[in-house]
Amino acid sequence: MAPTPPKFVFFVVFCITIGGLLFGYDTGVISGALVVIKDEWQLNNTQQEFIVGGTTLGAIVGGLFSGYFADRWGRRTITFLSSLVFILGALIMTFSKHYSVLIGGRV
């Protein structure tokens, strides 16, 4: 019989699962939110494209550097920090009043 994994492993898996779910949900929901955002902030097409593509850009940059940081500090630490960054980005987007702040939260 295999030993039971520590509770921290379940916590990390939960964070990863929620992060992936929220990433996919955010990607799908932004198209509906743009209808309201573009009219309220008078956004042009380029600004709308940056809002939609911001999370993809963040994922690309994060993917490029995550291997290095995981080797240096460990996968658990990087996974936990990535979850915290995701939560911080969601909070920044929630309370953003300007285009540049919204982009900062999405990246």
Side-chain angles (χ1 to χ4, degrees):
M1 178 183 264
T4 304
K7 291 182 181 182
F8 182 74
V9 171
F10 289 109
F11 175 71
V12 170
V13 168
F14 177 76
C15 289
I16 292 169
T17 304
I18 293 298
L21 176 77
L22 291 175
F23 186 81
Y25 181 75
D26 179 67
T27 302
V29 165
I30 193 61
S31 62
L34 271 179
V35 174
V36 176
I37 294 171
K38 74 176 182 178
D39 293 336
E40 186 172 332
W41 291 350
Q42 291 86 33
L43 300 176
N44 61 35
N45 289 336
T46 304
Q47 290 172 320
Q48 291 178 51
E49 291 170 2
F50 276 114
I51 289 173
V52 173
T55 53
T56 305
L57 176 63
I60 290 169
V61 172
L64 287 173
F65 294 105
S66 64
Y68 169 75
F69 290 127
D71 288 342
R72 186 171 177 148
W73 294 310
R75 291 177 304 203
R76 288 183 182 175
T77 303
I78 296 305
T79 301
F80 184 73
L81 290 175
S82 297
S83 298
L84 290 178
V85 167
F86 192 87
I87 291 168
L88 179 65
L91 290 172
I92 290 171
M93 288 185 296
T94 300
F95 298 109
S96 65
K97 301 284 185 197
H98 303 285
Y99 168 75
S100 58
V101 176
L102 181 66
I103 292 294
R106 288 190 62 78
V107 174

